[in-house]
Amino acid sequence: MRRLGSTRRVRRTFRTVAAGAVCSMALAAPTAVPAQAAPSQAAPAQGQEHGVHKAPHWELTDTGAADVRFRGLSAVSRHTAWVAGTKGTVLRTTDGGTNWRDVSPPGADALEFRDIEAFDARRAVVLAIGEGEASRVYRTDDGGATWTESFRNTDAKAFYDCLTFFDHRHGLAMSDPVDGRFRILSTSDGGRSWKVLPDAGMPAAQEGEAGFAASGQCLVASGPSDVWLATGGAARARVLHSRDRGRTWTATDTPIPAGDPAKGVFALAFRDRTHGLAVGGDYRPDQSSPQAAARTADGGRTWQPAAQPPPAYRSGAAWLPHSRTAALAVGPTGTDLTTDGGRTWRTVDTGSYDTVDCTADLGCWAAGEQGRVARLEK
């Protein structure tokens, strides 16, 4: 199976509703950013030159990396974020995107970074994807000044797609099925060391089933032990759920269409242990993606299709901070907003993004092709 150009292939529980509700209402009419605009071409916010208040909107930052596609994103706060992408590139900002520092691991130019999880401005874990030894994990404790390779896959049948953390110590990474079952890698020391978990508690994979390394959101956690895994490429697009940090799993079908290597669930977002969103579709630009979103209110035991889904394939999703009903979904053709918990979506921006992440201090970031990284601005 092909993985978006490669061969084969926790979000926090929010405490209040008011801040997110205000943000989602203001997002009703953000300024659209042209899909092919380069990061350095972002225009000043409309109305600013006249002192007019502008609704929240994506504002592109200048990463200086127009030849890199960033599918890995970890937002720490409104000021600090990490992105990871092609050509072994890792960037970090600590000033809200005004300046980006290249903190890429040395000698990683040939690697494809597709996921990154940061604990703060200094500590982060990044995943490189690919067959065999192309799948690797690196960790830094000094803001990217130095990196340690903490895992290198030696099984030619494994292909790692995503990673996630429950807390600063406990995390998981997932590989496409090996010998008929998804493979789970576990760490209990913050990504400094990893071990493969037994697969006895993992349901059998469907023929052709795999994860999509599209946004770092095919494996997500919420709380101290719950984790969900998104799949596609097979007859049915499924979400697998574990309540015990990846030791045992249950699988549930979703209404998002599959039946083709390019179709399925590409990203998940859970605001707590029960309420979650799934987005996806068909990543091929010449193919339509009906029913590209679904929602759950029972921890993933059942999924309902969106009554009004996004109009096209979406690869990333995130709940807006402190909201029980508002969330964003992003993809190459735009950003969509829901204000009713995923029942209906509407496009609010036409810029191209692959992944999105929000933080408790009302910081939301998005990243994608041509070095594009944006922050949600008021």
Side-chain angles (χ1 to χ4, degrees):
M1 178 179 294
R2 298 187 66 81
R3 290 292 176 277
L4 296 168
S6 297
T7 56
R8 272 202 60 213
R9 268 209 358 114
V10 271
R11 306 286 76 92
R12 300 171 176 86
T13 300
F14 300 125
R15 298 182 294 275
T16 63
V17 178
V22 172
C23 188
S24 62
M25 290 169 60
L27 267 169
T31 297
V33 180
Q36 299 303 319
S40 60
Q41 295 175 333
Q46 182 182 4
Q48 284 184 348
E49 65 273 23
H50 303 297
V52 178
H53 174 73
K54 181 175 174 58
H57 61 287
W58 288 126
E59 186 165 304
L60 286 165
T61 66
D62 187 359
T63 63
D67 59 341
V68 176
R69 186 165 195 163
F70 292 114
R71 295 187 185 273
L73 165 67
S74 187
V76 176
S77 69
R78 280 191 54 79
H79 303 290
T80 300
W82 300 66
V83 290
T86 55
K87 301 182 179 180
T89 306
V90 178
L91 305 184
R92 183 193 63 151
T93 183
T94 56
D95 57 12
T98 300
N99 296 285
W100 288 91
R101 181 180 178 186
D102 187 340
V103 294
S104 307
D109 299 15
L111 298 179
E112 291 273 344
F113 289 135
R114 296 291 182 93
D115 199 356
I116 187 166
E117 299 290 332
F119 307 121
D120 50 39
R122 296 184 61 80
R123 298 176 296 165
V125 178
V126 64
L127 171 72
I129 68 158
E131 294 176 312
E133 293 192 3
S135 285
R136 306 178 192 180
V137 178
Y138 294 82
R139 179 187 164 104
T140 182
D141 290 294
D142 54 14
T146 61
W147 293 85
T148 300
E149 182 183 306
S150 59
F151 171 76
R152 182 179 297 204
N153 174 47
T154 57
D155 190 333
K157 295 179 289 185
F159 185 114
Y160 286 84
D161 297 293
C162 295
L163 58 82
T164 191
F165 277 83
F166 303 96
D167 52 44
H168 288 187
R169 295 183 58 81
H170 300 91
L172 302 176
M174 58 81 68
S175 164
D176 289 343
V178 175
D179 298 328
R181 298 178 190 273
F182 284 94
R183 175 167 289 181
I184 303 298
L185 199 63
S186 175
T187 180
S188 59
D189 56 11
R192 294 179 178 87
S193 63
W194 298 82
K195 64 178 180 180
V196 175
L197 293 181
D199 65 2
M202 176 67 70
Q206 304 173 84
E207 183 177 355
E209 191 173 27
F212 291 103
S215 61
Q217 294 179 317
C218 61
L219 185 72
V220 301
S222 180
S225 57
D226 284 271
V227 60
W228 295 264
L229 188 161
T231 83
R236 303 180 307 280
R238 304 194 298 175
V239 172
L240 281 62
H241 177 211
S242 171
R243 297 178 180 274
D244 54 11
R245 293 184 180 171
R247 291 174 178 80
T248 60
W249 298 78
T250 57
T252 303
D253 294 348
T254 74
I256 294 179
D260 184 278
K263 295 180 180 180
V265 179
F266 281 71
L268 299 168
F270 276 79
R271 66 172 175 83
D272 53 35
R273 294 182 60 207
T274 57
H275 298 86
L277 303 169
V279 299
D282 188 326
Y283 73 76
R284 295 171 294 190
D286 60 340
Q287 299 295 316
S288 62
S289 290
Q291 299 176 320
R295 71 188 193 281
T296 182
D298 57 15
R301 289 193 295 272
T302 62
W303 292 85
Q304 292 76 45
Q308 182 179 326
Y313 155 72
R314 295 295 181 252
S315 56
W319 291 89
L320 287 176
H322 311 296
S323 175
R324 294 180 177 273
T325 58
L328 297 170
V330 300
T333 63
T335 298
D336 302 294
L337 170 72
T338 179
T339 56
D340 55 15
R343 292 174 178 82
T344 62
W345 297 82
R346 63 193 186 91
T347 302
V348 295
D349 187 278
T350 57
S352 175
Y353 299 103
D354 294 311
T355 186
V356 60
D357 195 15
C358 296
T359 63
D361 65 346
L362 304 183
C364 284
W365 297 78
E369 63 182 338
Q370 298 178 1
R372 294 168 60 87
V373 181
R375 191 178 71 167
L376 197 64
E377 298 289 352
K378 297 180 181 179

